[in-house]
Amino acid sequence: MKQKSYILTVAGLDPSSGAGITSDIKTFEAHDLYGLSVCTAVTVQNDVDFKECIWIDRETIINQITILFERFNISVVKIGIIQSWEVLLEVVQVLKSCNPTIKIVLDPILKASAGFDFHSKENLKVFEKVLLNCDFITPNYDEIKTLFPEKTIEETIEFISKRTNTYLKGGHREEKKGRDEVYHSKIVQLNIPPITGSVFEKHGSGCVLSSALASNIANQLPLEDACKNAKYYTEQFLNSNDSLLGTHNYKQNDK
């Protein structure tokens, strides 16, 4: 039997498994990849209520990463919540030192779906350095407005997209809800409309989109196909049932 390729998530633990590392692992497995995980935080939450975030210290995060690279060949990593932009920058630099060609997909989670704020008002100059070391960033509309409150959305998109590829998730946009936009190759725009009619809200859908994108990159799909397939996968996840916790039954042959 052929050995599956390895892919890594560096993110928090959600006990409900709707978001974070366990959700990422489910997505990786659905894309026929073997998921590895590094825990950056332990959250006290369920699918509707967020109580607390206990951050894992920087050294422990780094040690988790380095021991995995001693054993496994990892070409793609998805990054979720990390305590600060400074720690995030160090994590990105360690990943690059372990594998200089590694592809990094960053989901810049600034607020939990239950309303808990993370590090939205920290040193954005450090964040700019992070962008230069990433291959994709996947903010939603609320996050991209929060990152640079002094800029318009258009100015923020231009700033980020000059430094890395941007997948702008459309679930929070007021107009054309659900339409995603991808900016790459000198800010060429790719519009990805909703594939299905009605969808059900899901806890952790942003994590699923970013980990699906990372999975498609790991499976060596062209950039635009990787983005479209990630959108398709997320639509299936949203429509998997009418609860807040989705299931990962990927029907690849339905496209």
Side-chain angles (χ1 to χ4, degrees):
M1 184 173 67
K2 182 181 178 181
Q3 174 65 50
K4 293 183 178 181
S5 297
Y6 297 107
I7 184 171
L8 173 64
T9 171
V10 180
L13 172 65
D14 167 16
S16 77
S17 293
I21 54 177
T22 45
S23 177
D24 293 340
I25 292 293
K26 294 176 189 177
T27 306
F28 296 158
E29 290 286 344
H31 287 81
D32 201 31
L33 299 165
Y34 189 95
L36 305 167
S37 61
V38 166
C39 187
T40 59
V42 175
T43 65
V44 180
Q45 68 172 310
N46 55 35
D47 56 331
V48 297
D49 195 11
F50 197 115
K51 297 291 187 182
E52 187 179 5
C53 180
I54 302 98
W55 296 108
I56 304 300
D57 66 272
R58 176 198 60 81
E59 184 178 2
T60 301
I61 294 172
I62 300 303
N63 288 341
Q64 290 179 83
I65 291 171
T66 54
I67 197 169
L68 288 176
F69 277 87
E70 290 172 6
R71 175 91 172 121
F72 304 108
N73 180 19
I74 305 166
S75 61
V76 179
V77 58
K78 173 264 174 95
I79 302 178
I81 60 167
I82 290 183
Q83 185 174 8
S84 67
W85 299 127
E86 287 79 9
V87 175
L88 174 57
L89 178 59
E90 187 168 357
V91 165
V92 168
Q93 291 171 336
V94 168
L95 289 166
K96 289 285 189 178
S97 68
C98 291
N99 179 2
T101 64
I102 197 166
K103 303 294 185 183
I104 298 175
V105 177
L106 172 64
D107 189 17
I109 303 170
L110 306 179
K111 178 180 287 189
S113 56
F116 184 90
D117 285 309
F118 296 113
H119 50 83
S120 58
K121 297 180 177 63
E122 296 198 30
N123 189 350
L124 290 175
K125 290 184 179 179
V126 176
F127 178 59
E128 181 178 1
K129 295 180 182 178
V130 172
L131 291 177
L132 293 170
N133 284 281
C134 290
D135 297 274
F136 250 108
I137 181 174
T138 63
N140 60 40
Y141 263 74
D142 288 345
E143 288 164 342
I144 207 160
K145 287 188 289 187
T146 302
L147 281 169
F148 297 96
E150 74 282 1
K151 298 180 184 290
T152 65
I153 289 180
E154 292 74 19
E155 289 171 340
T156 300
I157 291 171
E158 182 178 6
F159 177 88
I160 294 175
S161 299
K162 285 182 176 179
R163 291 155 179 82
T164 189
N165 295 311
T166 305
Y167 189 118
L168 181 57
K169 297 175 287 192
H172 292 80
R173 61 190 298 171
E174 296 177 0
E175 297 180 359
K176 298 180 179 178
K177 187 176 179 66
R179 178 180 289 273
D180 298 351
E181 297 171 352
V182 177
Y183 299 86
H184 68 101
S185 303
K186 299 181 181 178
I187 320 185
V188 173
Q189 184 175 342
L190 169 66
N191 289 309
I192 309 178
I195 297 171
T196 56
S198 60
V199 295
F200 301 100
E201 183 179 352
K202 289 289 181 291
H203 171 56
S205 57
C207 297
V208 170
L209 184 285
S210 58
S211 55
L213 177 58
S215 297
N216 285 307
I217 292 172
N219 284 329
Q220 300 183 348
L221 271 68
L223 184 145
E224 292 189 7
D225 289 340
C227 292
K228 290 176 182 177
N229 283 8
K231 174 69 170 180
Y232 177 81
Y233 182 86
T234 306
E235 293 273 350
Q236 286 192 327
F237 174 77
L238 291 169
N239 280 297
S240 60
N241 59 60
D242 60 1
S243 78
L244 284 172
L245 295 175
T247 54
H248 294 257
N249 297 319
Y250 193 16
K251 299 177 182 178
Q252 293 176 297
N253 294 328
D254 286 356
K255 288 178 286 186

